[in-house]
Protein backbone atom coordinates (compact mmCIF):
# COMPACT_ATOMS: atom_id res chain seq x y z
CA UNK A 1 0.00 0.00 0.00
CA UNK A 2 2.87 2.38 0.85
CA UNK A 3 4.45 1.81 -2.55
CA UNK A 4 1.11 2.48 -4.29
CA UNK A 5 0.61 5.70 -2.30
CA UNK A 6 4.11 6.93 -3.16
CA UNK A 7 3.46 6.15 -6.85
CA UNK A 8 0.26 8.20 -6.88
CA UNK A 9 2.02 11.11 -5.16
CA UNK A 10 4.81 11.04 -7.74
CA UNK A 11 2.29 11.03 -10.60
CA UNK A 12 0.55 14.09 -9.10
CA UNK A 13 3.89 15.89 -8.89
CA UNK A 14 4.66 15.07 -12.52
CA UNK A 15 1.19 16.32 -13.56
CA UNK A 16 1.70 19.57 -11.64
CA UNK A 17 5.09 20.12 -13.30
CA UNK A 18 3.51 19.46 -16.70
CA UNK A 19 0.71 21.96 -16.01
CA UNK A 20 3.24 24.66 -15.11
CA UNK A 21 5.20 23.93 -18.27
CA UNK A 22 2.02 24.13 -20.35
CA UNK A 23 1.20 27.53 -18.79
CA UNK A 24 4.66 28.82 -19.72
CA UNK A 25 4.29 27.55 -23.28
CA UNK A 26 0.80 29.05 -23.76
CA UNK A 27 1.91 32.41 -25.25
CA UNK A 28 4.27 30.60 -27.60
CA UNK A 29 1.50 28.20 -28.60
CA UNK A 30 -0.79 31.11 -29.40
CA UNK A 31 1.84 32.81 -31.53
CA UNK A 32 2.52 29.54 -33.34
CA UNK A 33 -1.19 29.13 -34.05
CA UNK A 34 -1.40 32.64 -35.48
CA UNK A 35 1.61 31.90 -37.69
CA UNK A 36 -0.09 28.74 -38.93
CA UNK A 37 -3.28 30.62 -39.73
CA UNK A 38 -1.38 33.30 -41.64
CA UNK A 39 0.56 30.72 -43.62
CA UNK A 40 -2.65 28.95 -44.54
CA UNK A 41 -4.25 32.23 -45.57
CA UNK A 42 -1.31 32.94 -47.87
CA UNK A 43 -1.16 29.56 -49.59
CA UNK A 44 -4.86 28.64 -49.81
CA UNK A 45 -6.15 29.77 -53.22
CA UNK A 46 -9.10 32.16 -53.12
CA UNK A 47 -11.89 31.43 -55.56
CA UNK A 48 -12.74 35.13 -55.85
CA UNK A 49 -9.19 36.11 -56.79
CA UNK A 50 -9.56 34.98 -60.39
CA UNK A 51 -12.97 36.56 -60.89
CA UNK A 52 -12.91 39.35 -63.49
CA UNK A 53 -14.00 42.82 -62.48
CA UNK A 54 -17.71 43.36 -63.05
CA UNK A 55 -18.56 46.55 -64.96
CA UNK A 56 -20.91 48.97 -63.23
CA UNK A 57 -21.90 52.64 -63.51
CA UNK A 58 -20.46 55.32 -61.28
CA UNK A 59 -22.45 56.03 -58.11
CA UNK A 60 -25.13 58.70 -58.39
CA UNK A 61 -24.16 62.29 -57.64
CA UNK A 62 -26.50 63.19 -54.82
CA UNK A 63 -27.19 66.07 -52.45
CA UNK A 64 -26.51 65.76 -48.74
CA UNK A 65 -29.31 63.57 -47.35
CA UNK A 66 -32.01 65.20 -45.25
CA UNK A 67 -35.36 64.00 -43.98
CA UNK A 68 -36.97 65.93 -46.86
CA UNK A 69 -35.01 64.44 -49.79
CA UNK A 70 -34.74 60.76 -48.82
CA UNK A 71 -37.25 59.61 -51.45
CA UNK A 72 -35.25 61.42 -54.13
CA UNK A 73 -32.05 59.72 -52.98
CA UNK A 74 -33.70 56.30 -52.83
CA UNK A 75 -35.00 56.70 -56.40
CA UNK A 76 -31.62 57.81 -57.76
CA UNK A 77 -29.78 54.90 -56.21
CA UNK A 78 -32.44 52.48 -57.42
CA UNK A 79 -31.88 53.71 -60.97
CA UNK A 80 -28.12 53.19 -60.66
CA UNK A 81 -28.67 49.67 -59.30
CA UNK A 82 -30.95 48.87 -62.25
CA UNK A 83 -28.27 50.05 -64.69
CA UNK A 84 -25.66 47.98 -62.80
CA UNK A 85 -27.90 44.93 -63.24
CA UNK A 86 -28.08 45.50 -67.00
CA UNK A 87 -24.31 45.90 -67.26
CA UNK A 88 -23.63 42.79 -65.17
CA UNK A 89 -26.05 40.77 -67.32
CA UNK A 90 -24.35 41.97 -70.50
CA UNK A 91 -21.03 40.95 -68.96
CA UNK A 92 -22.38 37.45 -68.42
CA UNK A 93 -22.55 37.58 -64.61
CA UNK A 94 -26.12 36.46 -63.95
CA UNK A 95 -25.58 36.17 -60.20
CA UNK A 96 -24.50 39.80 -59.77
CA UNK A 97 -27.18 40.93 -62.21
CA UNK A 98 -29.83 39.25 -60.07
CA UNK A 99 -28.43 40.80 -56.88
CA UNK A 100 -28.39 44.28 -58.41
CA UNK A 101 -31.89 43.80 -59.83
CA UNK A 102 -33.28 42.94 -56.41
CA UNK A 103 -31.66 46.02 -54.90
CA UNK A 104 -33.22 48.17 -57.63
CA UNK A 105 -36.77 47.12 -56.69
CA UNK A 106 -39.11 50.06 -55.92
CA UNK A 107 -39.71 48.89 -52.34
CA UNK A 108 -35.99 49.00 -51.47
CA UNK A 109 -34.58 52.13 -49.82
CA UNK A 110 -30.94 52.55 -50.82
CA UNK A 111 -29.17 55.43 -49.14
CA UNK A 112 -26.00 54.64 -51.10
CA UNK A 113 -25.12 52.22 -53.91
CA UNK A 114 -21.88 51.42 -55.72
CA UNK A 115 -21.90 48.35 -57.95
CA UNK A 116 -18.21 48.43 -58.83
CA UNK A 117 -15.98 45.56 -57.71
CA UNK A 118 -17.34 43.71 -54.65
CA UNK A 119 -19.82 46.56 -54.30
CA UNK A 120 -21.08 48.78 -51.50
CA UNK A 121 -24.61 49.54 -50.43
CA UNK A 122 -26.46 51.16 -47.54
CA UNK A 123 -30.08 50.10 -47.13
CA UNK A 124 -32.70 51.59 -44.82
CA UNK A 125 -35.48 49.64 -43.10
CA UNK A 126 -38.17 51.89 -41.69
CA UNK A 127 -38.89 55.62 -41.79
CA UNK A 128 -35.44 57.04 -41.18
CA UNK A 129 -36.47 60.68 -41.13
CA UNK A 130 -39.01 60.18 -38.34
CA UNK A 131 -37.29 57.48 -36.26
CA UNK A 132 -36.82 57.83 -32.51
CA UNK A 133 -34.22 55.05 -32.38
CA UNK A 134 -31.88 53.95 -35.18
CA UNK A 135 -29.57 50.94 -35.35
CA UNK A 136 -26.68 50.90 -37.83
CA UNK A 137 -25.33 47.43 -38.62
CA UNK A 138 -21.71 46.90 -39.73
CA UNK A 139 -20.90 43.45 -41.19
CA UNK A 140 -17.83 41.26 -41.01
CA UNK A 141 -15.78 39.37 -43.57
CA UNK A 142 -16.99 37.94 -46.88
CA UNK A 143 -19.81 40.46 -47.26
CA UNK A 144 -20.31 41.95 -50.72
CA UNK A 145 -23.15 42.55 -53.16
CA UNK A 146 -22.91 38.86 -54.07
CA UNK A 147 -23.56 37.79 -50.46
CA UNK A 148 -25.58 40.82 -49.40
CA UNK A 149 -28.83 38.89 -48.87
CA UNK A 150 -27.57 37.26 -45.69
CA UNK A 151 -26.48 40.63 -44.26
CA UNK A 152 -29.80 42.14 -45.27
CA UNK A 153 -31.58 39.32 -43.44
CA UNK A 154 -29.90 40.33 -40.17
CA UNK A 155 -31.06 43.93 -40.57
CA UNK A 156 -34.59 42.85 -41.41
CA UNK A 157 -34.65 40.54 -38.38
CA UNK A 158 -33.58 43.32 -36.02
CA UNK A 159 -36.14 45.65 -37.55
CA UNK A 160 -38.93 43.12 -36.95
CA UNK A 161 -37.80 42.65 -33.35
CA UNK A 162 -37.79 46.41 -32.77
CA UNK A 163 -41.21 46.82 -34.34
CA UNK A 164 -42.62 44.02 -32.21
CA UNK A 165 -41.22 45.21 -28.88
CA UNK A 166 -41.06 49.02 -29.08
CA UNK A 167 -43.63 50.88 -26.97
CA UNK A 168 -46.70 52.11 -28.84
CA UNK A 169 -45.89 55.24 -30.82
CA UNK A 170 -42.11 54.66 -30.77
CA UNK A 171 -40.63 54.70 -34.26
CA UNK A 172 -37.52 52.76 -35.22
CA UNK A 173 -35.29 52.25 -38.23
CA UNK A 174 -32.39 49.95 -39.08
CA UNK A 175 -29.58 50.78 -41.50
CA UNK A 176 -27.51 48.03 -43.10
CA UNK A 177 -24.14 49.68 -43.84
CA UNK A 178 -22.01 47.73 -46.29
CA UNK A 179 -19.78 50.75 -46.76
CA UNK A 180 -16.34 49.13 -46.96
CA UNK A 181 -14.46 46.38 -48.75
CA UNK A 182 -14.66 43.53 -46.29
CA UNK A 183 -11.78 41.05 -46.02
CA UNK A 184 -12.05 37.45 -47.17
CA UNK A 185 -12.33 34.99 -44.29
CA UNK A 186 -9.41 32.99 -45.71
CA UNK A 187 -6.87 35.76 -46.22
CA UNK A 188 -4.18 37.70 -44.43
CA UNK A 189 -6.35 40.84 -44.44
CA UNK A 190 -8.81 39.32 -41.97
CA UNK A 191 -6.01 39.10 -39.38
CA UNK A 192 -4.93 42.74 -39.44
CA UNK A 193 -6.56 46.14 -38.96
CA UNK A 194 -5.73 47.25 -42.52
CA UNK A 195 -9.24 47.04 -44.00
CA UNK A 196 -10.67 48.51 -40.80
CA UNK A 197 -8.29 51.47 -40.95
CA UNK A 198 -9.42 52.10 -44.55
CA UNK A 199 -13.09 51.80 -43.58
CA UNK A 200 -13.08 53.94 -40.44
CA UNK A 201 -13.10 57.36 -42.19
CA UNK A 202 -16.04 56.26 -44.35
CA UNK A 203 -17.99 55.10 -41.30
CA UNK A 204 -17.29 58.39 -39.52
CA UNK A 205 -18.48 60.35 -42.56
CA UNK A 206 -21.59 58.22 -42.86
CA UNK A 207 -22.62 58.67 -39.22
CA UNK A 208 -22.08 62.41 -39.65
CA UNK A 209 -24.39 62.49 -42.68
CA UNK A 210 -26.91 60.28 -40.90
CA UNK A 211 -27.13 62.74 -38.02
CA UNK A 212 -28.11 65.37 -40.59
CA UNK A 213 -31.18 63.29 -41.45
CA UNK A 214 -32.27 62.49 -37.91
CA UNK A 215 -34.06 64.58 -35.33
CA UNK A 216 -31.83 65.84 -32.54
CA UNK A 217 -33.25 63.49 -29.89
CA UNK A 218 -32.94 60.34 -32.01
CA UNK A 219 -30.63 57.72 -30.52
CA UNK A 220 -28.14 55.88 -32.70
CA UNK A 221 -26.78 52.45 -31.83
CA UNK A 222 -23.91 50.91 -33.77
CA UNK A 223 -24.19 47.11 -33.93
CA UNK A 224 -20.98 45.54 -35.21
CA UNK A 225 -20.39 41.88 -36.04
CA UNK A 226 -17.15 39.91 -36.33
CA UNK A 227 -14.51 41.87 -38.31
CA UNK A 228 -17.00 44.74 -38.32
CA UNK A 229 -16.18 45.22 -34.63
CA UNK A 230 -12.63 46.12 -35.65
CA UNK A 231 -14.00 48.71 -38.09
CA UNK A 232 -16.25 50.23 -35.43
CA UNK A 233 -13.42 50.32 -32.90
CA UNK A 234 -11.16 52.23 -35.31
CA UNK A 235 -13.90 54.82 -35.88
CA UNK A 236 -15.41 54.94 -32.39
CA UNK A 237 -13.61 58.01 -31.04
CA UNK A 238 -15.21 60.24 -33.69
CA UNK A 239 -18.76 58.88 -33.80
CA UNK A 240 -21.85 60.62 -32.45
CA UNK A 241 -23.55 57.48 -31.17
CA UNK A 242 -25.29 56.41 -27.98
CA UNK A 243 -24.43 52.71 -27.87
CA UNK A 244 -21.76 50.50 -29.42
CA UNK A 245 -22.48 46.75 -29.46
CA UNK A 246 -19.68 44.32 -30.37
CA UNK A 247 -20.91 40.82 -31.19
CA UNK A 248 -18.83 37.80 -32.20
CA UNK A 249 -15.70 39.94 -32.00
CA UNK A 250 -12.17 38.59 -32.59
CA UNK A 251 -10.93 41.65 -30.66
CA UNK A 252 -10.90 45.33 -31.49
CA UNK A 253 -7.22 46.16 -31.74
CA UNK A 254 -7.47 48.00 -28.42
CA UNK A 255 -6.84 46.65 -24.96
CA UNK A 256 -9.85 48.13 -23.18
CA UNK A 257 -13.22 49.70 -23.82
CA UNK A 258 -11.96 52.99 -22.39
CA UNK A 259 -9.21 53.01 -25.04
CA UNK A 260 -11.93 53.42 -27.69
CA UNK A 261 -12.37 56.99 -26.40
CA UNK A 262 -16.09 57.04 -26.97
CA UNK A 263 -18.78 58.46 -24.68
CA UNK A 264 -21.13 55.73 -25.95
CA UNK A 265 -22.05 52.76 -23.80
CA UNK A 266 -19.87 49.85 -24.97
CA UNK A 267 -21.50 46.42 -25.04
CA UNK A 268 -20.10 43.01 -25.97
CA UNK A 269 -21.50 39.51 -26.39
CA UNK A 270 -20.54 36.13 -27.77
CA UNK A 271 -22.69 33.05 -28.25
CA UNK A 272 -21.57 29.87 -26.52
CA UNK A 273 -21.13 28.06 -29.85
CA UNK A 274 -19.35 30.91 -31.63
CA UNK A 275 -16.02 29.65 -32.99
CA UNK A 276 -14.49 33.11 -32.40
CA UNK A 277 -14.19 32.11 -28.77
CA UNK A 278 -11.44 29.69 -29.82
CA UNK A 279 -9.39 32.37 -31.58
CA UNK A 280 -6.32 33.49 -29.58
CA UNK A 281 -7.02 37.05 -28.45
CA UNK A 282 -3.47 38.32 -28.84
CA UNK A 283 -1.55 40.80 -30.97
CA UNK A 284 1.80 39.66 -32.34
CA UNK A 285 4.39 40.85 -34.83
CA UNK A 286 4.83 38.07 -37.37
CA UNK A 287 6.72 38.38 -40.64
CA UNK A 288 6.94 42.15 -40.08
CA UNK A 289 3.15 42.52 -39.77
CA UNK A 290 1.05 43.02 -36.62
CA UNK A 291 -1.65 40.37 -36.59
CA UNK A 292 -4.46 39.65 -34.15
CA UNK A 293 -6.69 42.06 -32.29
CA UNK A 294 -5.78 41.77 -28.63
CA UNK A 295 -8.04 41.59 -25.59
CA UNK A 296 -11.24 39.59 -25.81
CA UNK A 297 -14.12 42.13 -25.64
CA UNK A 298 -16.20 39.84 -23.43
CA UNK A 299 -13.40 39.44 -20.88
CA UNK A 300 -13.47 41.44 -17.64
CA UNK A 301 -10.13 42.96 -18.62
CA UNK A 302 -11.73 44.76 -21.58
CA UNK A 303 -14.38 46.45 -19.46
CA UNK A 304 -17.43 46.36 -21.77
CA UNK A 305 -20.98 45.72 -20.58
CA UNK A 306 -21.19 42.02 -21.39
CA UNK A 307 -24.70 40.83 -22.25
CA UNK A 308 -26.13 37.36 -22.76
CA UNK A 309 -26.14 35.92 -26.29
CA UNK A 310 -27.41 32.41 -25.61
CA UNK A 311 -26.06 29.24 -27.18
CA UNK A 312 -25.89 30.49 -30.77
CA UNK A 313 -22.98 30.32 -33.17
CA UNK A 314 -21.17 33.00 -35.15
CA UNK A 315 -24.06 33.61 -37.56
CA UNK A 316 -26.92 33.31 -35.07
CA UNK A 317 -26.98 36.66 -33.27
CA UNK A 318 -30.04 37.86 -35.21
CA UNK A 319 -32.00 34.60 -35.18
CA UNK A 320 -35.69 35.24 -34.36
CA UNK A 321 -36.48 34.48 -30.73
CA UNK A 322 -32.83 34.36 -29.71
CA UNK A 323 -31.50 35.84 -26.48
CA UNK A 324 -28.99 37.91 -28.44
CA UNK A 325 -31.60 39.50 -30.71
CA UNK A 326 -33.84 40.28 -27.74
CA UNK A 327 -30.99 42.01 -25.94
CA UNK A 328 -29.84 43.91 -29.03
CA UNK A 329 -33.35 45.33 -29.45
CA UNK A 330 -33.35 46.41 -25.80
CA UNK A 331 -30.04 48.18 -26.29
CA UNK A 332 -31.29 50.00 -29.40
CA UNK A 333 -34.50 51.04 -27.63
CA UNK A 334 -32.59 52.32 -24.62
CA UNK A 335 -34.04 49.70 -22.27
CA UNK A 336 -30.61 49.11 -20.81
CA UNK A 337 -31.85 47.93 -17.40
CA UNK A 338 -33.74 45.11 -19.13
CA UNK A 339 -30.65 43.76 -20.93
CA UNK A 340 -29.76 40.35 -19.47
CA UNK A 341 -26.11 40.00 -18.56
CA UNK A 342 -23.86 37.06 -19.32
Amino acid sequence: MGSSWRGRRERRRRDARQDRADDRRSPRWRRALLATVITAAVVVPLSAAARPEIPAPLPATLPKPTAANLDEIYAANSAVAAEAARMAAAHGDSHRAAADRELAAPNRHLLTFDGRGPGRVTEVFGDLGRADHVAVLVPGSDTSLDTYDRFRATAASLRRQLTGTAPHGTRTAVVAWLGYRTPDTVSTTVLTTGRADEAAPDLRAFIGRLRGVLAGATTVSLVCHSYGTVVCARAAAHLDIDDLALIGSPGTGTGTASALHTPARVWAARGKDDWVGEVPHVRSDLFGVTVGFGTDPVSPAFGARVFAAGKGGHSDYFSPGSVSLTNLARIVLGDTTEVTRA
Side-chain angles (χ1 to χ4, degrees):
M1 180 178 294
S3 175
S4 175
W5 178 81
R6 283 193 296 272
R8 288 196 299 271
R9 185 175 63 177
E10 182 57 32
R11 282 195 297 273
R12 285 197 296 269
R13 287 174 177 173
R14 284 199 303 270
D15 290 344
R17 287 195 296 269
Q18 183 63 47
D19 289 342
R20 288 193 295 270
D22 288 345
D23 288 343
R24 289 193 297 270
R25 282 197 297 268
S26 180
R28 281 178 287 176
W29 174 83
R30 289 182 176 183
R31 288 194 292 270
L33 179 59
L34 278 174
T36 301
V37 171
I38 291 174
T39 302
V42 171
V43 300
V44 173
L46 301 178
S47 59
R51 183 175 182 174
E53 193 79 0
I54 303 167
L58 293 173
T61 301
L62 299 169
K64 182 178 179 180
T66 66
N69 67 7
L70 284 176
D71 287 342
E72 173 190 342
I73 288 173
Y74 295 156
N77 283 316
S78 178
V80 175
E83 178 59 23
R86 287 189 288 270
M87 293 176 70
H91 185 67
D93 195 319
S94 58
H95 180 75
R96 174 60 68 83
D100 290 340
R101 198 175 299 115
E102 289 181 10
L103 284 164
N107 63 332
R108 306 290 283 269
H109 296 156
L110 307 185
L111 201 54
T112 68
F113 177 82
D114 185 349
R116 297 171 297 176
R120 303 185 185 196
V121 62
T122 305
E123 185 170 8
V124 176
F125 301 79
D127 188 346
L128 187 61
R130 301 175 63 209
D132 301 303
H133 303 283
V134 174
V136 178
L137 272 56
V138 179
S141 60
D142 284 330
T143 310
S144 66
L145 290 186
D146 296 301
T147 62
Y148 175 71
D149 273 353
R150 67 189 185 195
F151 177 46
R152 183 179 192 273
T154 66
S157 181
L158 179 57
R159 167 70 174 151
R160 286 192 296 271
Q161 183 71 23
L162 291 170
T163 301
T165 59
H168 179 71
T170 299
R171 294 164 295 204
T172 65
V174 175
V175 180
W177 185 80
L178 174 54
Y180 77 110
R181 183 166 185 153
T182 68
D184 295 304
T185 297
V186 184
S187 69
T188 54
T189 53
V190 80
L191 299 171
T192 73
T193 63
R195 290 286 174 88
D197 291 332
E198 294 172 4
D202 293 329
L203 180 56
R204 292 173 193 145
F206 172 73
I207 295 297
R209 291 194 299 272
L210 180 66
R211 278 296 185 186
V213 176
L214 305 176
T218 301
T219 68
V220 175
S221 299
L222 197 58
V223 180
C224 318
H225 178 242
S226 195
Y227 188 87
T229 64
V230 187
V231 175
C232 294
R234 307 310 267 188
H238 304 278
L239 299 180
D240 183 7
I241 58 175
D242 299 273
D243 290 274
L244 172 60
L246 310 170
I247 53 177
S249 177
T252 63
T254 58
T256 63
S258 61
L260 297 175
H261 301 297
T262 174
R265 290 179 289 255
V266 180
W267 305 82
R270 184 170 61 235
K272 291 182 180 179
D273 291 335
D274 190 338
W275 57 262
V276 167
E278 303 301 321
V279 173
H281 288 88
V282 296
R283 282 172 64 82
S284 300
D285 289 327
L286 297 172
F287 313 129
V289 177
T290 300
V291 299
F293 304 108
T295 310
D296 187 346
V298 301
S299 70
F302 189 75
R305 303 177 183 213
V306 180
F307 63 95
K311 298 180 179 180
H314 195 62
S315 301
D316 299 330
Y317 291 96
F318 298 89
S319 295
S322 65
V323 173
S324 53
L325 182 62
T326 299
N327 278 328
L328 285 170
R330 289 167 175 164
I331 290 169
V332 173
L333 293 170
D335 297 332
T336 56
T337 59
E338 300 299 315
V339 176
T340 57
R341 301 302 183 96

